[in-house]
Amino acid sequence: MRFASIGSGSEGNGTLIAAGSQGTLLVDCGFSARAALGRMADLQVAAEDLAAILVTHEHSDHVRGVARLANRCRIPVYTTWGTWAAKLSGVLDQTLLQLINPHEAFEVAGLTVQPVPVPHDAREPCQFVFQSRQGSRLGLLTDVGSVTPHMLASYEQCDALMLECNHDLEMLAAGPYPPALKRRVAGPLGHLNNRQSAQMLAQLDQARLQHLVVTHISQQNNHPELAVAALLEQAHCQEHKIRVASQDSGLEWTPLRSTAMIS
């Protein structure tokens, strides 16, 4: 299995995941269809390579280009009923819709996908854990306001984890956002701050972790250096494992070693 990002942040998000010859998955498309195709082309992925689009929730930085890209290129879309009803109903070709139960795993493109319900201010949001037939596990976790016991259990034993470090509490407090938006971002249905993400990571078994990717960094309320420092200091993550997915350039293709290759 391998993964990449076409961009991560408040202006648009998209993650590519591939395992074997059954096509590539795109998780979220928060860019216009044209921009997403251009960003995918930079990673040598074309529309015809996509086996499916998975959607975590209906906020525009995750769903902006989903319907247009799917309709134009005839790509199945996997999402919860709540996300479909909130944003995709009436714009996504109904024949492309694959409704998922956020509590039940499903198979697509040679991967087992386990949805993970999360606390966020959306209709029926979920994140995902992907497992290849060789046993490699990739966790994707963004747009979460607080950490639940179910989340901790779901993201154990990952070989790679793409983890939101959205904001630094001090920068958010001193920043330009109006008070209501500050409360929303920092609230239990908002986004994880650096400290929360580090505390969550500290509770996970990192023995298998090959890559930790910092994602969804706020351009106004955080710096990558602050996020990485929190993960190093509070979660004691090894620095060589940490990568950052940026808004402009995303993250290049990153392969996972098979668990059978790891002693």
Side-chain angles (χ1 to χ4, degrees):
M1 177 163 51
R2 62 180 187 148
F3 64 97
S5 169
I6 64 171
S8 181
S10 59
E11 296 180 4
N13 296 272
T15 303
L16 295 168
I17 303 165
S21 60
Q22 297 186 45
T24 300
L25 300 181
L26 174 62
V27 182
D28 290 337
C29 184
F31 305 95
S32 70
R34 177 179 293 180
L37 289 171
R39 287 170 176 255
M40 288 191 295
D42 291 339
L43 292 162
Q44 289 76 55
V45 176
E48 54 266 29
D49 298 320
L50 295 181
I53 301 172
L54 281 59
V55 184
T56 60
H57 65 293
E58 70 271 16
H59 292 163
S60 62
D61 59 324
H62 293 262
V63 77
R64 181 178 291 115
V66 169
R68 185 176 293 273
L69 180 61
N71 291 344
R72 180 191 302 175
C73 303
R74 310 308 300 165
I75 304 167
V77 174
Y78 289 71
T79 195
T80 63
W81 183 90
T83 298
W84 169 79
K87 200 72 173 182
L88 296 173
S89 176
V91 293
L92 175 68
D93 186 328
Q94 187 80 9
T95 65
L96 299 173
L97 176 64
Q98 300 289 324
L99 287 177
I100 64 174
N101 183 327
H103 302 281
E104 293 183 359
F106 59 95
E107 305 282 333
V108 61
L111 291 164
T112 299
V113 184
Q114 178 62 62
V116 183
V118 295
H120 192 52
D121 55 354
R123 184 86 173 260
E124 195 179 12
C126 66
Q127 296 293 313
F128 299 106
V129 176
F130 302 85
Q131 182 164 321
S132 72
R133 290 172 181 168
Q134 292 74 35
S136 297
R137 282 169 54 84
L138 166 66
L140 177 60
L141 183 61
T142 73
D143 296 77
V144 178
S146 48
V147 177
T148 67
H150 179 64
M151 287 165 52
L152 288 171
S154 298
Y155 289 91
E156 279 284 12
Q157 301 296 319
C158 282
D159 298 286
L161 177 59
M162 303 184 76
L163 178 63
E164 170 177 69
C165 292
N166 177 257
H167 60 281
D168 172 79
L169 283 172
E170 288 72 24
M171 285 189 66
L172 177 66
Y177 284 5
L181 181 55
K182 290 181 181 181
R183 289 192 296 270
R184 180 240 165 196
V185 169
L189 298 179
H191 292 270
L192 291 180
N193 63 58
N194 296 340
R195 191 177 306 161
Q196 287 173 303
S197 298
Q199 289 171 346
M200 176 181 172
L201 183 63
Q203 296 179 72
L204 299 176
D205 183 355
Q206 299 181 43
R208 280 178 54 171
L209 193 65
Q210 301 170 38
H211 304 285
L212 176 67
V213 181
V214 179
T215 63
H216 219 300
I217 296 176
S218 170
Q219 293 177 294
Q220 290 78 30
N221 302 304
N222 207 357
H223 292 304
E225 296 82 3
L226 293 175
V228 171
L231 295 168
L232 291 173
E233 294 168 10
Q234 298 177 46
H236 306 294
C237 184
Q238 295 175 298
E239 188 169 7
H240 72 273
K241 295 181 178 181
I242 301 176
R243 317 278 294 283
V244 176
S246 73
Q247 181 68 87
D248 293 334
S249 57
L251 179 75
E252 69 272 15
W253 279 111
T254 303
L256 290 181
R257 302 190 305 274
S258 168
T259 53
M261 295 171 61
I262 304 173
S263 57

